[in-house]
Amino acid sequence: GTPDPPPAARARVRRDCRTSLGKALLSSMFAVGADVLDIGGSGGRRSRNDPLGAPPSALGGPTGFCLPPTADPAAFCRTNFTAEKGKDMNQEIKFAKGTTTLAFKYNGGIIISVDSRATQGPYIASQNVKKVIEINKFLVGTMAGGAADCQFWERNLGTQCRLYELRNKERISVAAASKLLANTLLQYRGYGLSMGTMITGWDKTGPQLYYVDDAGTRLHGDMFAVGSGSTWAYGVLDNYYRPDLTDEEAIELGKRAIYHATHRDAFSGGMNNVYIMKPDGWTQVYRGDVNDYHYALFPPPPPPPGGPPLPATAA
């Protein structure tokens, strides 16, 4: 084989590589612009003649960020997107959140029932949010609070659970999975996360249900409801819950509790998704519009005799 280069030559190659890498990193950093990166700062912009207040490379080039087309992007973001807990910044887009999720154990398994509405203050952002996150066939999580926070960290939990299975050659318990999520959220306590989740599943000890939130709180129980509509859901659950419910009765109770919450809480609505957890894993047993369920429970009255017919409704 070829002889190894002398130590001095190897050191020179390492130094040249470090220098080249450092130059590349610095050039990419300064292409963005320090005034853009420092959203909260008061530094001056590159050019007062630039109507967008940022260097051209920061507005669409491969090394730049997309910026709002305003004179001061940093002030625009502070005004319209600031979401500090406990403070009203008078921003145009409110990050007030609302939802209704619930889960309860009964003799036959666990019922998980959720709505699908996402809101930003009075604005309905979506009616089709998937609020049950399927971690694996025997473990699911629900999301209430910030949609991005819940989706990201519960997917991260799925990664941790899969790594546990590969290392230990067995499925993770529900208690351990909920503890992993609680430990993760505790590390980010006070950083602005907004999460109220339930982790539920079936393991060697049977059906298990835990509540975990962004403060690192972790509670074990038989029934939880989370979200802005949870008080109405608890009212229905407290009235009709029994441990000896049949599967059909338990599913109907989950549907009825979500329906009443969406009927009274403007921040909940859309589609009702119901899952049932059994020893062989979870199954989605129902998906339906809460408005259709309302009119199935309370059909409109017939027209008065001899009077004009009621106007036809669109299909």
Side-chain angles (χ1 to χ4, degrees):
T2 58
D4 292 336
R10 291 201 301 270
R12 185 169 60 254
V13 170
R14 287 196 299 269
R15 185 172 62 252
D16 292 343
C17 289
R18 285 196 300 268
T19 304
S20 301
L21 179 60
K23 287 180 178 178
L25 290 174
L26 287 173
S27 62
S28 64
M29 285 173 57
F30 285 109
V32 174
D35 56 330
V36 177
L37 291 175
D38 185 14
I39 295 297
S42 58
R45 295 187 294 274
R46 286 292 180 88
S47 172
R48 296 294 177 181
N49 298 324
D50 183 359
L52 297 181
S57 62
L59 301 174
T63 62
F65 292 121
C66 292
L67 300 176
T70 63
D72 191 338
F76 179 87
C77 291
R78 282 195 300 270
T79 302
N80 295 285
F81 299 106
T82 300
E84 293 187 33
K85 190 172 182 180
K87 294 184 179 180
D88 184 3
M89 309 300 290
N90 298 313
Q91 67 267 27
E92 292 297 324
I93 300 178
K94 306 291 185 183
F95 282 88
K97 297 162 282 293
T99 188
T100 306
T101 63
L102 65 89
F104 61 87
K105 290 167 59 177
Y106 68 107
N107 292 347
I110 304 176
I111 292 292
I112 306 101
S113 186
V114 301
D115 76 321
S116 67
R117 177 173 291 182
T119 57
Q120 292 179 326
Y123 173 68
I124 298 176
S126 175
Q127 288 276 69
N128 293 288
V129 177
K130 187 179 177 66
K131 297 186 182 180
V132 175
I133 297 176
E134 299 143 1
I135 298 170
N136 60 41
K137 182 58 182 173
F138 299 88
L139 189 66
V140 300
T142 65
M143 49 183 280
D149 293 343
C150 293
Q151 288 178 351
F152 180 87
W153 289 113
E154 290 190 37
R155 286 172 181 165
N156 174 268
L157 174 62
T159 301
Q160 295 185 65
C161 293
R162 180 59 179 150
L163 289 172
Y164 178 95
E165 292 180 17
L166 294 173
R167 291 185 183 120
N168 298 279
K169 305 297 187 290
E170 66 174 359
R171 211 168 59 235
I172 192 170
S173 68
V174 183
S178 65
K179 188 64 175 177
L180 286 175
L181 181 61
N183 288 344
T184 300
L185 298 182
L186 188 61
Q187 296 177 56
Y188 289 91
R189 183 174 179 173
Y191 280 74
L193 292 181
S194 177
M195 294 177 62
T197 71
M198 291 175 286
I199 303 297
T200 183
W202 203 293
D203 56 28
K204 291 184 291 187
T205 63
Q208 301 295 336
L209 174 60
Y210 287 84
Y211 165 81
V212 180
D213 67 17
D214 51 62
T217 303
R218 174 175 169 267
L219 303 174
H220 182 235
D222 295 333
M223 179 198 303
F224 292 111
V226 187
S228 57
S230 60
T231 51
W232 290 278
Y234 269 129
V236 176
L237 292 174
D238 289 340
N239 257 328
Y240 298 104
Y241 171 78
R242 304 189 324 270
D244 60 346
L245 292 168
T246 66
D247 288 349
E248 292 75 19
E249 290 173 333
I251 293 168
E252 184 63 25
L253 177 57
K255 292 163 59 176
R256 187 70 66 94
I258 290 293
Y259 155 70
H260 282 287
T262 59
H263 188 64
R264 296 296 181 187
D265 176 36
F267 300 97
S268 302
M271 306 297 288
N272 176 206
N273 296 301
V274 182
Y275 288 66
I276 188 169
M277 184 70 68
K278 291 285 192 175
D280 57 351
W282 58 262
T283 304
Q284 184 170 3
V285 293
Y286 175 77
R287 175 178 169 82
D289 193 308
V290 294
N291 286 329
D292 296 338
Y293 189 75
H294 170 82
Y295 289 112
L297 289 175
F298 307 103
L310 294 174
T313 58

